[in-house]
C-alpha cells in the first residue's frame, strides 16, 4: 500500500504548504514545517547530482530521496515534483508528492528468527546503526536501519555539515571500540539546522561494543540514536528556574526586581517582555486583594528585548497605559490566571490595532505569540508581565506558559517584598523627619549648620539624631546621638531619647549627670520593650536598646565648652589659627549598659572656633577604618570655605561613598563670644542692707547700656532674687547682668536648695516674690553649679 503525502515548495526552497498526509507520513505538523527550508527534512546532506535539484526546472521530475521522520528515523521515499506556472510561464511553486511502499503481512508466510531480527532492525522507530572496521579515510563502515551500506557519513545522528560534530562522533566510536565500554554521545542542533522549528534540538546516541561471540574481540560498534529534544528543553526550563531563584529579588527595589525578571527571560524564553505594575505598588501601598478589574491602568516598570534600547516598546519606562477589558493583559488581571494568545486571537488583533505604536512593533518584528501572566503574591495582584515572540521563534506552548507562571510568581514575591520594604522605609523616614529638627531657635552662643542623610535603599532607616538646645545665661547645648539598629523601632527610640535629652537639658544638668539620667532611661526602655514584645512574636525581636550620645554645653561668656560622651566618637575642632584637632574625651559606656560613670571634659574655645559633631556613618566605610575616616574629616574641615553650609557639603563629598549603609548626621557649630561690654557682675555680701546698693548698681548699668526703660522691672527682680539669696542661701553671693538678644539677670549663691513657686495666702508675709518675678519676666529658672545654684530671669529688651 502506498502512503501519499503532498507539499508545496517555493522556488527558493521554502515549504509553503503541508498536507495532512505529509503530517501522518513524517510526523511534523504544518505549523512546524511551513516557513522552513525543505532541505531541513533531508536525512543526508544534500541530494545527489543525479537527483539534482531538478526541482528547479520547469519539467516534471521523479526520483528518490532519504527524509528524516519527526522522531528521528530515516525514510526512503519516492518523490514526484510538478512545477506550478504563473501567467508568464514562470515557476511560482512546486507540488511535491512523496510515497513509500509499506509491506502488508500475509497469512501464508512463516517468518524465521533471522527475518524477525532483520525486520526489527529495519522497522525500528529509532535510528539503529552498526559500525564495522573497514578501509577508508576513517576506517569504519556503517549499516543503518535502512540497510544503507557504505563509507561512514555520520548517518543516524542527524547532524548538519559540522566537521567538529562529526569528529566528536568519530572519537566516541573509536573510544568505545578501543575500551570495549558503552558510552553516550549527545549532540545539540541549533536552528536553522534543526529538523523543525526555531528551537535547538538534541540527539542522544547510545554506543556499545559489538563482540565476536567466538573470539570475544570487538568487531564493531552498535548505536541507537534517540531524539532527546523534549528532555533537553525540560533541562533548559529547570536551569532557567534555578537561575531565577538566584538572580530575581536580589535587592529590595521594585524597579530593579522587575528588570531582573526581564533580563533573565530574554532571549531564553521570549524575544520581548514588559513588566507593568499598579501605581499603588510602586508607592509601597497595599493593593486590593484578589484579581484586578479589567481596564485597569498600569505603569511600565521594566522591559527588555533582543534589540538594543528596546525600540519595539510601545510604552516608555515610567509611563502609564490602560489596557482595554478584552485585551489579553486585562483578561489575565481580571481572572488572576495566565493567558496564552497570539495572531490567531481576534482580541489580540483588535487590541494591537487600537495602538499605532503596537501595530508598528508587531509588523516590524513579526510578533505572533504572547503570554500575559499576572504578578500575584500573598493573594494580591501586583501587576502583569507580557512575554512575546517574534517571527524568529516558535509560538508559545503550554509548557512555556507553566514556566512563565513560575517565573512571574518568583518575581511577584520579590516585588512584594520590595513594596513592603518601601512602605516600611517610607513610614520610618516620615517618622524620622517628624522627630528631627528642621530649624533651630535663635541663640547667641553659636552659628550652626547641619546635614542629615538617610542610609541607602538597601539599608533600613537608622536612629541618628542631633539637636541644638538654648540654655539659660545665653549658653547652648549641642547634642548628637545614634541608636543601634535600623527601622521603625530605631526611629521611635531616637525620638524618645531626643525628647528626654531636651527635658533633662531644661533642668540644666551638667553633661555627665545628664548622660547618667539618660543611661537609666535607656535601661528602663529596654525593659519595657522586652515586656511589650514578649507575647507578640510577629513584631520581631527588638532586642536590647543601645545608643551613643555626645552632649556638649558651650558658654559664650566664659568661652568654655563642657563635653561628655556615652560611647560616641569625639568632635573635631577647627581653631581660628587653622589647626584641627580631635577633642580628647574620657569615653563613657554606651547608653543602656548601666552602672558605669560618665566624665565631663572642659576645653577653652577662642571666638570663631568651629566644632564638628557627627555620627559614625560619616567616618566608617568598607574601604577604610575609623582612623582614616577621622583623618579625612580633619583634612576636609581645614579646607577654606565661605560658609558653614558649604563646609557641610564639602565634608560629605570628601568622606561619603556613592552608596551608604548607615545614616549620617553632621552638625557644625562656630562659636561666638559675649564681650565685657555685654556682661556686668558683682560680688555681694550676705547683708540685707546690700539690696538697695544692688538695685542702684543695676540702674546705673542699665543706663550705661541705654536700657533705662527696663530699669523698673529689673530692679524689682534684682531686689527679690538678692533678698532670697541672703535670706535662704549661703555666701558667696553674686549678681550678673547679661545684655544680648534679651536682658538676663542672674543671682548665684552657695546653697543647693532650689526655690519654687507657691501660692501665698491672704495673711502670709512672704511667698509672693517668685510669683511676681514670673509675672514680670518672660522666663525664669534655676540651675545647679559646681559651687551651689544660680537663679535667673530673662526679659525682652525694650523696643527702641
Amino acid at each position: 500500500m502506498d502512503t501519499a503525502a503532498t507539499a508545496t515548495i517555493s522556488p527558493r526552497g521554502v515549504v509553503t504548504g503541508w498536507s495532512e498526509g505529509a503530517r501522518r507520513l513524517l510526523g511534523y505538523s504544518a505549523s512546524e514545517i511551513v516557513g522552513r527550508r525543505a532541505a531541513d527534512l533531508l536525512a543526508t546532506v544534500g541530494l545527489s547530482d543525479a537527483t539534482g535539484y531538478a526541482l528547479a526546472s520547469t519539467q516534471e521530475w521523479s526520483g528518490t530521496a532519504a527524509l528524516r521522520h519527526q522522531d528521528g528515523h530515516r525514510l526512503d521515499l519516492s518523490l514526484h515534483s510538478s512545477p506550478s506556472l504563473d501567467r508568464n510561464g514562470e515557476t511560482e511553486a512546486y507540488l511535491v508528492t512523496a510515497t513509500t511502499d509499506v509491506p502488508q503481512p500475509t497469512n501464508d508466510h512463516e517468518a524465521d528468527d533471522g527475518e524477525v531480527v532483520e525486520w526489527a532492525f529495519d522497522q525500528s522507530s529509532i535510528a539503529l546503526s552498526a559500525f564495522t572496521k573497514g578501509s577508508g579515510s576513517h576506517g569504519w563502515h556503517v549499516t543503518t536501519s535502512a540497510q544503507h551500506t557504505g563509507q561512514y557519513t555520520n548517518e543516524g545522528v542527524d547532524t548538519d555539515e559540522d566537521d567538529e560534530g562529526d569528529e566528536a562522533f568519530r572519537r566516541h566510536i573509536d573510544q568505545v571500540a578501543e575500551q570495549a565500554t558503552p558510552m553516550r554521545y549527545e549532540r545539540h542542533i541549533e536552528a536553522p539546522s534543526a529538523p523543525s522549528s526555531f528551537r535547538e534540538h538534541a540527539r542522544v546516541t547510545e554506543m556499545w561494543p559489538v563482540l565476536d561471540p567466538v573470539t570475544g574481540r570487538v568487531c564493531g560498534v552498535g548505536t541507537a540514536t534517540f531524539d532527546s529534544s523534549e528532555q533537553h528543553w525540560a533541562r533548559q526550563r529547570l536551569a532557567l528556574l534555578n537561575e531565577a531563584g538566584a538572580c530575581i529579588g536580589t535587592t529590595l527595589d521594585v524597579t530593579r526586581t522587575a528588570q531582573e525578571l526581564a533580563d533573565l527571560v530574554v532571549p531564553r524564553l521570549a524575544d520581548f517582555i514588559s513588566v507593568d505594575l499598579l501605581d499603588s505598588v510602586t508607592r509601597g501601598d497595599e493593593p486590593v486583594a484578589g484579581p484586578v478589574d479589567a481596564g485597569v491602568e498600569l505603569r511600565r516598570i521594566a522591559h527588555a528585548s533582543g534589540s538594543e534600547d528596546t525600540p519595539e516598546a510601545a510604552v516608555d519606562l515610567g509611563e502609564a497605559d490602560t489596557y482595554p477589558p478584552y485585551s489579553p493583559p486585562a483578561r489575565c488581571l481580571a481572572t488572576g490566571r495566565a493567558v496564552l494568545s497570539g495572531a490567531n486571537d481576534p482580541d489580540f488583533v483588535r487590541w494591537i490595532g487600537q495602538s499605532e505604536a503596537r501595530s508598528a512593533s508587531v509588523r516590524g518584528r513579526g510578533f505572533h505569540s504572547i503570554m500575559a501572566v499576572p504578578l500575584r503574591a500573598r493573594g494580591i495582584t501586583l501587576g502583569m508581565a507580557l512575554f512575546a515572540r517574534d517571527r524568529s521563534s516558535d509560538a508559545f506552548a503550554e509548557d512555556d506558559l507553566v514556566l512563565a507562571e513560575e517565573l512571574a510568581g518568583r518575581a511577584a514575591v520579590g516585588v512584594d517584598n520590595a513594596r513592603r520594604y518601601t512602605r516600611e522605609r517610607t513610614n520610618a523616614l516620615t517618622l524620622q523627619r517628624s522627630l528631627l529638627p528642621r530649624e533651630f531657635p535663635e541663640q547667641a552662643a553659636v552659628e550652626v549648620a547641619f546635614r542629615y542623610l538617610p542610609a541607602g535603599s538597601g539599608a533600613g532607616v537608622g536612629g541618628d539624631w542631633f539637636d541644638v538646645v538654648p540654655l539659660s545665661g545665653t549658653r547652648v547645648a549641642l547634642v548628637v546621638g545614634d541608636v543601634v539598629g535600623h527601622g521603625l523601632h530605631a526611629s521611635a527610640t531616637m525620638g524618645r531619647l531626643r525628647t528626654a535629652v531636651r527635658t533633662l537639658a531644661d533642668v540644666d544638668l551638667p553633661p555627665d549627670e545628664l548622660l547618667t539620667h539618660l543611661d537609666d532611661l535607656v535601661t528602663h526602655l529596654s525593659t519595657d520593650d522586652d515586656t511589650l514584645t514578649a507575647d507578640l512574636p510577629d513584631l520581631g525581636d527588638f532586642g536590647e536598646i543601645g545608643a551613643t550620645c555626645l552632649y556638649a554645653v558651650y558658654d559664650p561668656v566664659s568661652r568654655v565648652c563642657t563635653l561628655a560622651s556615652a560611647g560616641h566618637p569625639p568632635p573635631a575642632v577647627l581653631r581660628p589659627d587653622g589647626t584641627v584637632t580631635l577633642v580628647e574625651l574620657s569615653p563613657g559606656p554606651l547608653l543602656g549598659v548601666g552602672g558605669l560613670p560618665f566624665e565631663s571634659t572642659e576645653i577653652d574655645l577662642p571666638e570663631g572656633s568651629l566644632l564638628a559633631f557627627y555620627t559614625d556613618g560619616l567616618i566608617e566605610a568598607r574601604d577604610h577604618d575609623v582612623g582614616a575616616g577621622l583623618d579625612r574629616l580633619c583634612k576636609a574641615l581645614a579646607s577654606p570655605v565661605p560658609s558653614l553650609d558649604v563646609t557641610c557639603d564639602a565634608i560629605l563629598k570628601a568622606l561619603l561613598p556613592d552608596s551608604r549603609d548607615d545614616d549620617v548626621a553632621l552638625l557644625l557649630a562656630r562659636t561666638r563670644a559675649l564681650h565685657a561690654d555685654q556682661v556686668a557682675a558683682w560680688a555681694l555680701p550676705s547683708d540685707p542692707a546690700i539690696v538697695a546698693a544692688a538695685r542702684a548698681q543695676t540702674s546705673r548699668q542699665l543706663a550705661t547700656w541705654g536700657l533705662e526703660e527696663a530699669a523698673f522691672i529689673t530692679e524689682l527682680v534684682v531686689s527679690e532674687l538678692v533678698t532670697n539669696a541672703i535670706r535662704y542661701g549661703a555666701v558667696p553671693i553674686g549678681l550678673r547682668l547679661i545684655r544680648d538678644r534679651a536682658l538676663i539677670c542672674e543671682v548665684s549663691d552657695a546653697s543647693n536648695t532650689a526655690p519654687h513657686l507657691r501660692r501665698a495666702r491672704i495673711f502670709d508675709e512672704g511667698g509672693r516674690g517668685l510669683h511676681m518675678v514670673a509675672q514680670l519676666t518672660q522666663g525664669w529658672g534655676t540651675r545647679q553649679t559646681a559651687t551651689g545654684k544660680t537663679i535667673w530671669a530673662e526679659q525682652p529688651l525694650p523696643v527702641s
Side-chain angles (χ1 to χ4, degrees):
M1 181 182 68
D2 290 341
T3 301
T6 59
T8 56
I9 302 175
S10 71
R12 300 177 61 87
V14 176
V15 178
T16 58
W18 192 255
S19 70
E20 178 63 20
R23 184 196 66 77
R24 290 195 301 269
L25 180 64
L26 294 176
Y28 302 108
S29 65
S31 61
E32 292 178 304
I33 292 299
V34 172
R36 302 294 293 165
R37 296 182 306 157
D40 292 341
L41 294 172
L42 297 175
T44 58
V45 181
L47 296 173
S48 65
D49 292 337
T51 303
Y53 251 93
L55 293 168
S57 69
T58 58
Q59 305 297 321
E60 292 190 6
W61 170 87
S62 297
T64 61
L67 303 185
R68 181 68 61 197
H69 192 273
Q70 195 271 345
D71 61 15
H73 77 272
R74 168 176 169 161
L75 291 175
D76 287 334
L77 302 177
S78 298
L79 301 182
H80 180 78
S81 173
S82 299
S84 175
L85 307 179
D86 59 16
R87 286 181 292 181
N88 298 324
E90 300 292 334
T91 302
E92 61 179 5
Y94 298 95
L95 177 63
V96 180
T97 302
T99 61
T100 180
D101 293 333
V102 181
Q104 296 291 326
T106 60
N107 296 326
D108 56 353
H109 178 264
E110 189 72 24
D112 58 26
D113 291 345
E115 288 179 314
V116 172
V117 172
E118 182 180 355
W119 294 344
F121 187 80
D122 289 343
Q123 300 170 26
S124 172
S125 61
I126 61 176
L128 295 172
S129 301
F131 292 83
T132 57
K133 274 291 185 180
S135 61
S137 58
H138 300 297
W140 290 101
H141 282 286
V142 57
T143 301
T144 70
S145 58
Q147 298 183 352
H148 174 78
T149 305
Q151 188 65 29
Y152 166 60
T153 59
N154 206 17
E155 292 179 327
V157 293
D158 196 12
T159 66
D160 59 2
E161 294 182 355
D162 186 346
D163 293 339
E164 183 179 352
D166 291 349
E167 184 61 34
F169 183 83
R170 285 191 291 268
R171 286 198 305 269
H172 281 74
I173 292 289
D174 292 338
Q175 192 171 352
V176 170
E178 293 171 1
Q179 300 178 4
T181 57
M183 295 189 66
R184 170 176 290 189
Y185 172 74
E186 184 171 8
R187 178 75 187 279
H188 296 160
I189 309 169
E190 297 182 358
S193 299
S196 67
S197 83
F198 298 88
R199 306 174 71 176
E200 181 183 66
H201 285 242
R203 297 285 185 269
V204 172
T205 301
E206 297 287 350
M207 303 177 176
W208 63 93
V210 178
L211 304 179
D212 188 320
V214 178
T215 64
R217 294 187 304 110
V218 176
C219 59
V221 176
T223 67
T225 301
F226 304 85
D227 184 351
S228 60
S229 298
E230 290 292 341
Q231 294 86 342
H232 174 62
W233 297 333
R235 289 195 300 269
Q236 287 182 322
R237 290 193 292 269
L238 289 175
L240 191 61
L241 284 176
N242 182 64
E243 188 175 341
C247 69
I248 295 179
T250 59
T251 66
L252 291 173
D253 182 84
V254 172
T255 302
R256 177 69 179 274
T257 302
Q259 191 61 51
E260 287 170 345
L261 170 64
D263 293 339
L264 176 67
V265 303
V266 175
R268 298 166 66 177
L269 178 61
D271 299 309
F272 173 81
I273 180 177
S274 62
V275 181
D276 298 349
L277 300 179
L278 298 169
D279 266 339
S280 57
V281 176
T282 62
R283 297 191 302 267
D285 297 337
E286 190 80 12
V288 178
V292 179
D293 292 338
V296 69
E297 183 179 80
L298 300 177
R299 190 167 298 278
R300 179 64 50 85
I301 300 300
H303 54 214
S305 77
S307 304
E308 187 176 356
D309 299 329
T310 320
E312 62 270 49
V315 180
D316 293 333
L317 291 177
E319 291 188 357
D321 190 27
T322 300
Y323 293 92
Y326 56 82
S327 65
R331 282 155 47 196
C332 87
L333 291 173
T335 61
R337 296 189 298 271
V339 172
L340 181 61
S341 182
N344 57 349
D345 182 357
D347 288 337
F348 172 82
V349 176
R350 178 184 174 191
W351 170 52
I352 295 299
Q354 282 196 343
S355 169
E356 181 58 35
R358 283 194 173 92
S359 297
S361 176
V362 169
R363 290 193 303 269
R365 287 285 301 272
F367 290 116
H368 60 90
S369 182
I370 66 168
M371 296 184 294
V373 185
L375 299 178
R376 303 190 71 230
R378 298 187 304 113
I380 297 174
T381 300
L382 307 172
M384 176 273 305
L386 184 71
F387 303 76
R389 281 182 176 173
D390 59 23
R391 65 172 63 94
S392 65
S393 302
D394 295 331
F396 288 117
E398 289 297 329
D399 56 349
D400 297 318
L401 193 65
V402 173
L403 176 60
E405 288 179 318
E406 181 66 25
L407 293 175
R410 298 193 181 193
V413 172
V415 169
D416 190 54
N417 289 338
R419 177 195 64 81
R420 298 171 68 184
Y421 168 77
T422 300
R423 180 183 59 186
E424 180 179 350
R425 176 175 169 80
T426 300
N427 293 339
L429 283 172
T430 301
L431 174 63
Q432 189 180 62
R433 292 190 184 102
S434 68
L435 296 174
L436 287 173
R438 297 184 180 181
E439 59 183 17
F440 295 117
E442 293 185 358
Q443 41 76 39
V446 292
E447 176 191 359
V448 297
F450 60 89
R451 293 290 186 274
Y452 185 87
L453 300 178
S457 60
V461 177
D464 295 15
W465 94 92
F466 58 93
D467 211 343
V468 177
V469 185
L471 302 177
S472 62
T474 68
R475 297 170 306 129
V476 66
L478 304 168
V479 194
V480 64
D482 185 3
V483 176
V484 176
H486 296 84
L488 280 173
H489 184 62
S491 296
T493 302
M494 175 269 289
R496 298 160 85 176
L497 293 183
R498 180 172 177 262
T499 302
V501 168
R502 274 192 164 267
T503 302
L504 295 172
D506 286 341
V507 183
D508 240 330
L509 294 176
D512 54 344
E513 293 186 27
L514 183 142
L515 291 182
T516 300
H517 286 283
L518 197 62
D519 181 51
D520 293 338
L521 174 64
V522 171
T523 302
H524 293 313
L525 290 177
S526 298
T527 303
D528 293 343
D529 281 344
D530 290 341
T531 303
L532 175 65
T533 60
D535 299 327
L536 299 173
D538 290 340
L539 294 179
D541 182 13
F542 284 92
E544 295 184 355
I545 297 176
T548 66
C549 183
L550 177 64
Y551 185 82
V553 175
Y554 173 68
D555 188 345
V557 177
S558 64
R559 303 173 192 176
V560 172
C561 185
T562 306
L563 309 95
S565 172
H568 203 85
V573 180
L574 171 63
R575 299 181 183 272
D577 60 4
T579 60
V580 180
T581 58
L582 296 174
V583 178
E584 295 183 3
L585 296 176
S586 297
L590 270 69
L591 297 175
V593 174
L596 298 176
F598 299 94
E599 298 182 20
S600 294
T601 300
E602 291 187 352
I603 57 172
D604 294 322
L605 293 177
E607 182 180 6
S609 298
L610 182 59
L611 287 163
F613 301 87
Y614 52 89
T615 55
D616 56 5
L618 181 69
I619 58 174
E620 292 181 352
R622 295 172 180 168
D623 59 347
H624 62 261
D625 56 18
V626 175
L630 291 173
D631 292 340
R632 293 166 65 179
L633 171 63
C634 294
K635 182 178 179 181
L637 194 63
S639 302
V641 288
S643 67
L644 290 186
D645 283 325
V646 176
T647 303
C648 284
D649 295 335
I651 292 175
L652 296 178
K653 182 178 180 180
L655 272 71
L656 294 184
D658 294 334
S659 177
R660 302 180 307 280
D661 297 330
D662 198 2
D663 291 10
V664 174
L666 175 63
L667 175 64
L668 299 183
R670 177 173 285 125
T671 63
R672 295 174 177 148
L674 296 181
H675 301 283
D677 60 346
Q678 296 177 273
V679 181
W682 303 274
L684 304 176
S686 181
D687 182 358
I690 200 63
V691 175
R695 289 198 302 268
Q697 288 278 21
T698 299
S699 180
R700 288 192 293 271
Q701 185 62 51
L702 293 179
T704 301
W705 287 340
L707 302 177
E708 292 86 350
E709 294 182 15
F712 177 73
I713 293 177
T714 306
E715 287 180 15
L716 290 177
V717 172
V718 168
S719 178
E720 179 59 32
L721 296 183
V722 171
T723 299
N724 284 345
I726 294 173
R727 181 177 298 179
Y728 305 109
V731 293
I733 299 173
L735 170 64
R736 185 169 72 166
L737 298 177
I738 300 175
R739 176 182 61 84
D740 187 51
R741 300 172 185 266
L743 179 60
I744 301 171
C745 176
E746 296 181 342
V747 175
S748 304
D749 67 81
S751 172
N752 290 321
T753 303
H756 61 278
L757 284 175
R758 67 184 180 88
R759 185 177 297 278
R761 294 182 176 89
I762 296 176
F763 299 105
D764 288 348
E765 296 182 359
R768 298 176 178 83
L770 285 180
H771 184 73
M772 180 183 64
V773 171
Q775 294 297 317
L776 295 176
T777 61
Q778 67 179 13
W780 77 280
T782 181
R783 68 175 181 268
Q784 299 295 319
T785 65
T787 58
K789 69 175 180 297
T790 296
I791 303 175
W792 57 272
E794 183 177 308
Q795 56 184 305
L797 297 176
V799 179
S800 57

